[in-house]
């Protein structure tokens, strides 16, 4: 069972570069989320989607963009990477309504230097 | 904004011991969720609580929704090596579009 798959697992970027973090799920879940996890902090919601074609901002959306063209895929785009975006990024999905993510990917560890 | 404090921050126990941890909020929540994160992996939802006073079990794990709605508790009975990881609580004030607030986690280590 694949569940939620994130790529890449690790990445180092230079300040000002851009990249896309990929996320795909094979459970046919409508709800998908992007979180970031900073050391010693709780997860913070970046963006979420309640279905294909529908996305909305979370707590910390600045510097990021998302799209949801299919049920399976929910990529996160970083434009003009900044050191403050150094973090571990988790994608999650759920069939539960109301922001209750069930399944998380293994994360992408991103360093901006 | 809403704050969640998890206690303890870390625990060192021997295999077979019972574990208790809690999560307290500065404001009322209507939903409490508990997650576990294994090393190098993403969190996994363990238990969801939707009603004050509710007690829910998942195998050796039991979680309770505090009567005040400002706290929640997670107990693990007869710990085993695979219980190692970080346990996160998360609270939600409303329903529908209300975002989760996550705690900072309790790191559980089992001493051989």
């Amino acid at each position: 069972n694949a569940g939620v798959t994130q790529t890449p697992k690790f990445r180092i970027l230079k300040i000002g570069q851009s990249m896309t973090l990929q996320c795909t799920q094979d459970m046919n879940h409508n709800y998908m989320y992007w979180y970031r996890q900073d050391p010693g902090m709780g997860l913070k919601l970046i963006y979420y989607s309640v279905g294909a074609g529908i996305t909305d901002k979370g707590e910390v959306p600045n510097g990021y963009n998302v799209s949801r063209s299919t049920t399976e895929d929910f990529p996160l785009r970083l434009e003009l990477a900044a050191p403050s975006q150094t973090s571990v990024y988790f994608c999650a999905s759920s069939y539960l309504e109301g922001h209750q993510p069930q399944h998380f990917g293994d994360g992408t560890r991103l360093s901006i230097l | 904004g809403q704050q969640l404090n998890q206690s303890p921050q870390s625990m060192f126990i021997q295999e077979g011991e019972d574990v208790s941890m809690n999560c307290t909020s500065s404001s009322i929540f209507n939903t409490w969720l508990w997650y576990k994160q294994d090393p190098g992996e993403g969190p996994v939802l363990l238990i969801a609580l939707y009603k004050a006073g509710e007690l829910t079990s998942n195998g050796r794990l039991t979680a309770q929704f505090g009567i005040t709605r400002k706290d929640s508790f997670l107990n693990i009975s007869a710990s085993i090596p695979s219980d190692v990881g970080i346990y996160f609580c998360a609270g939600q004030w409303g329903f529908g579009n209300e975002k989760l607030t996550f705690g900072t986690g309790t790191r559980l280590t089992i001493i051989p």
Side-chain angles (χ1 to χ4, degrees):
Chain A
N1 292 335
V4 178
T5 302
Q6 290 183 238
T7 57
K9 291 191 184 302
F10 305 94
R11 185 72 184 268
I12 298 174
L13 285 181
K14 294 182 179 179
I15 294 171
Q17 286 185 320
S18 60
M19 77 163 292
T20 299
L21 280 65
Q22 301 291 344
C23 176
T24 187
Q25 53 96 3
D26 63 358
M27 295 170 282
N28 203 34
H29 288 165
N30 283 328
Y31 302 90
M32 294 189 75
Y33 310 87
W34 274 105
Y35 289 90
R36 58 179 287 172
Q37 184 179 42
D38 298 321
M41 304 288 286
L43 291 164
K44 297 290 187 184
L45 181 66
I46 306 171
Y47 269 96
Y48 68 98
S49 169
V50 300
I54 306 169
T55 63
D56 206 348
K57 296 178 180 179
E59 297 175 79
V60 290
N62 291 344
Y64 307 94
N65 275 303
V66 293
S67 60
R68 185 93 181 272
S69 57
T70 66
T71 298
E72 294 78 19
D73 299 308
F74 190 40
L76 177 71
R77 177 88 178 157
L78 276 73
E79 306 281 3
L80 297 175
S84 62
Q85 293 178 304
T86 293
S87 189
V88 181
Y89 291 85
F90 288 101
C91 177
S93 74
S94 181
Y95 72 83
L96 296 173
E97 292 185 38
H99 286 276
Q100 297 178 18
Q102 293 174 285
H103 303 274
F104 285 75
D106 289 342
T108 294
R109 187 175 296 275
L110 181 63
S111 295
I112 314 295
L113 304 176
Chain B
Q2 292 164 334
Q3 303 270 344
L4 278 186
N5 293 311
Q6 277 191 253
S7 178
Q9 287 188 326
S10 59
M11 303 181 73
F12 296 84
I13 62 166
Q14 291 189 321
E15 184 177 348
E17 286 186 27
D18 296 341
V19 173
S20 292
M21 60 187 78
N22 66 76
C23 197
T24 57
S25 169
S26 57
S27 56
I28 290 171
F29 285 125
N30 287 319
T31 299
W32 284 97
L33 305 175
W34 283 92
Y35 293 86
K36 183 193 176 203
Q37 184 175 20
D38 289 334
E41 298 184 13
V44 174
L45 179 62
L46 297 173
I47 293 176
L49 302 161
Y50 300 106
K51 188 177 175 181
E54 181 181 354
L55 192 70
T56 297
S57 294
N58 179 2
R60 292 176 297 103
L61 277 64
T62 302
Q64 185 166 21
F65 194 138
I67 292 293
T68 66
R69 294 199 286 157
K70 288 187 176 182
D71 52 15
S72 181
F73 310 90
L74 178 69
N75 295 312
I76 306 172
S77 62
S79 58
I80 60 177
S82 61
D83 291 333
V84 165
I86 302 176
Y87 292 80
F88 291 97
C89 64
Q92 188 177 49
W93 157 240
F95 303 96
N97 259 354
E98 191 66 28
K99 316 298 189 295
L100 286 179
T101 299
F102 279 84
T104 53
T106 293
R107 182 182 295 272
L108 179 63
T109 302
I110 295 183
I111 305 167

